[in-house]
Amino acid sequence: MYEGAVQNLIDELGRLPGVGPKSAQRIAFHILNADAADMARLANAISTVKTSVSFCEECGNVSETKLCPICRDERRDPSVLCVVEESKDVVAIERTRSFTGRYHVLGGAINPLAGVGPEQLRIRELVSRLADERIQEIILAMDPNLEGEATATYLSRMLVPLGVRLSRLASGLPVGGDLEYADEITLGRALEGRRVISEGTAAVHTAAEDFERANREEEQEREQAAAVRAEEAKQSRRRWNSSMFDDLEAPGAPAGEAPAPAGVQATVDEQLIERVLQDGGEAPAAENGEAEAPEAEPTAKEPAAKNAETPESPEDPTVSKGPAASAASENPEEPEEAHEVFRSADYEERIRSIQNAPLRTPKPDVPPLPGVTYVNPWT
């Protein structure tokens, strides 16, 4: 313990950051032993810095004028803004000669233990500077410690909604350092912030080919699925439709004529019926042999004789003239040799029974529903 002015000087020097009691004592005795002129210049410098030096109104850096030299320099890039904690950080970045933008000094970092919160920092001034449309990017250059991480997180949450590009200084291995002595956090951040030297054209080309091939395969699968669905829908309509036999065309219908509506019997082809009846009538005649052969001649000649003798006699209701007889009645001048086809009463009766009978459709091989007995709607 010293008395008087010496102890007062030691106590004041001990209040300086980074100066302990022993360091303050050594500095105090150095001042006592130093030349008086030198100590006068030191005292004058301390007094002058407190009276003439202030902070820049725009960025917060130390300056003897309203604007610091960096803010007055028009050659600086106004689109990039670097946010730092203290003015000494500005000097450290300027020594790299790699940054040509402007700065914003917060005046510290968020430290709840020391009583420093966002209100004590120049965060409002930072937000007000973003009104300048020239600013396109903000670089957060905080110290990689607990206080710096807290400040960077707070600023990022505040500035991201503003739509400005936000970046952070990379942290990793120092130049000249060894991986062996790097701590886990530093090495992990170095891996996360690694820099790509080359993308590799072969890898990019292969990835593009894989992407195109995957797109082609997906398109083919969609087309195949659509074709299968269309075929299933077609088969379902064909199988479960109630009028599944409506597409059957009449055997003797003309090519240009539209098919009959569903469930309606088409026009009976008389020529086809006649040919079927004739084919059915020849079989019994072949079995009976010569027994039924003589009966065909009077059947064909008797109506001809009657027509020749009594042309004005009334028509027999049991005998139908057919298409040939109708044509003969309309054209009486044509010779009778062209009308040699005649029909008996039994023949006409069979034709009328076929015309009046409902259309019968064949029984399908597959029932409409599995396990359900098919009921023919035409029976």
Side-chain angles (χ1 to χ4, degrees):
M1 293 294 295
Y2 298 93
E3 297 180 357
V6 176
Q7 187 62 42
N8 293 335
L9 180 59
I10 293 174
D11 294 339
E12 294 299 329
L13 293 175
R15 296 173 58 184
L16 298 176
V19 179
K22 294 293 183 181
S23 299
Q25 183 178 351
R26 286 196 299 268
I27 295 173
F29 279 98
H30 174 74
I31 294 174
L32 292 174
N33 296 329
D35 189 8
D38 296 337
M39 295 301 101
R41 287 195 300 270
L42 177 60
N44 188 24
I46 295 174
S47 175
T48 304
V49 75
K50 292 302 295 181
T51 56
S52 61
V53 176
S54 61
F55 296 98
C56 177
E57 295 180 355
E58 184 173 353
C59 67
N61 193 14
V62 292
S63 175
E64 295 182 4
T65 59
K66 293 183 178 181
L67 296 178
C68 65
I70 297 177
C71 294
R72 294 196 306 264
D73 191 356
E74 296 181 356
R75 296 173 299 179
R76 311 287 295 199
D77 185 7
S79 63
V80 183
L81 187 65
C82 182
V83 181
V84 296
E85 296 180 7
E86 302 289 347
S87 298
K88 56 184 178 62
D89 300 329
V90 175
V91 178
I93 295 176
E94 283 295 308
R95 283 201 301 262
T96 62
R97 298 182 181 180
S98 300
F99 181 71
T100 59
R102 299 182 184 274
Y103 296 91
H104 184 84
V105 181
L106 294 176
I110 297 176
N111 188 1
L113 297 179
V116 179
E119 297 79 9
Q120 285 74 34
L121 304 179
R122 302 182 70 254
I123 296 179
R124 292 191 184 91
E125 291 79 357
L126 174 62
V127 176
S128 63
R129 291 187 65 179
L130 295 180
D132 188 358
E133 296 180 355
R134 296 178 299 175
I135 299 177
Q136 302 295 330
E137 181 182 0
I138 296 178
I139 302 175
L140 300 180
M142 282 66 187
D143 295 338
N145 51 24
L146 184 60
E147 293 79 8
E149 292 292 336
T151 306
T153 303
Y154 181 85
L155 292 177
S156 62
R157 292 180 179 178
M158 179 181 294
L159 300 178
V160 165
L162 300 180
V164 183
R165 181 181 180 184
L166 200 63
S167 60
R168 180 85 187 273
L169 287 183
S171 58
L173 298 174
V175 177
D178 297 332
L179 293 176
E180 180 182 0
Y181 302 105
D183 59 281
E184 292 82 0
I185 297 177
T186 302
L187 190 57
R189 291 187 176 181
L191 290 174
E192 294 176 358
R194 63 186 181 277
R195 212 169 32 172
V196 178
I197 299 175
S198 175
E199 294 289 348
T201 56
V204 174
H205 182 66
T206 303
E209 290 181 351
D210 294 342
F211 181 74
E212 294 294 337
R213 183 169 60 256
N215 287 342
R216 289 194 300 268
E217 292 177 356
E218 186 178 356
E219 185 66 24
Q220 292 177 359
E221 291 178 358
R222 285 199 296 266
E223 293 178 357
Q224 293 177 0
V228 171
R229 288 194 298 270
E231 184 64 23
E232 291 179 353
K234 184 177 179 181
Q235 294 294 338
S236 177
R237 289 194 301 269
R238 180 180 300 176
R239 175 174 295 179
W240 311 123
N241 192 2
S242 60
S243 57
M244 59 186 297
F245 301 103
D246 293 343
D247 56 347
L248 297 178
E249 298 181 356
E257 185 177 354
V264 179
Q265 182 176 356
T267 304
V268 178
D269 190 352
E270 296 183 357
Q271 297 179 0
L272 177 62
I273 296 175
E274 181 180 351
R275 186 163 55 253
V276 172
L277 292 177
Q278 289 179 358
D279 295 341
E282 290 177 359
E287 294 177 358
N288 297 332
E290 298 178 356
E292 297 181 0
E295 297 180 2
E297 295 180 357
T299 304
K301 295 179 180 180
E302 184 178 355
K306 290 182 179 181
N307 292 335
E309 294 176 0
T310 60
E312 298 179 357
S313 60
E315 298 180 358
D316 189 356
T318 61
V319 180
S320 177
K321 298 180 180 181
S326 301
S329 62
E330 294 178 0
N331 300 325
E333 298 179 359
E334 294 183 1
E336 296 181 359
E337 288 77 4
H339 310 285
E340 296 180 0
V341 178
F342 299 98
R343 300 173 181 174
S344 63
D346 183 46
Y347 184 81
E348 290 291 338
E349 185 65 25
R350 294 175 65 182
I351 289 179
R352 284 194 295 272
S353 64
I354 293 175
Q355 290 177 344
N356 296 331
L359 179 63
R360 297 179 180 272
T361 57
K363 185 176 181 180
D365 297 336
V366 181
L369 293 176
V372 179
T373 305
Y374 174 76
V375 178
N376 194 336
W378 303 106
T379 56

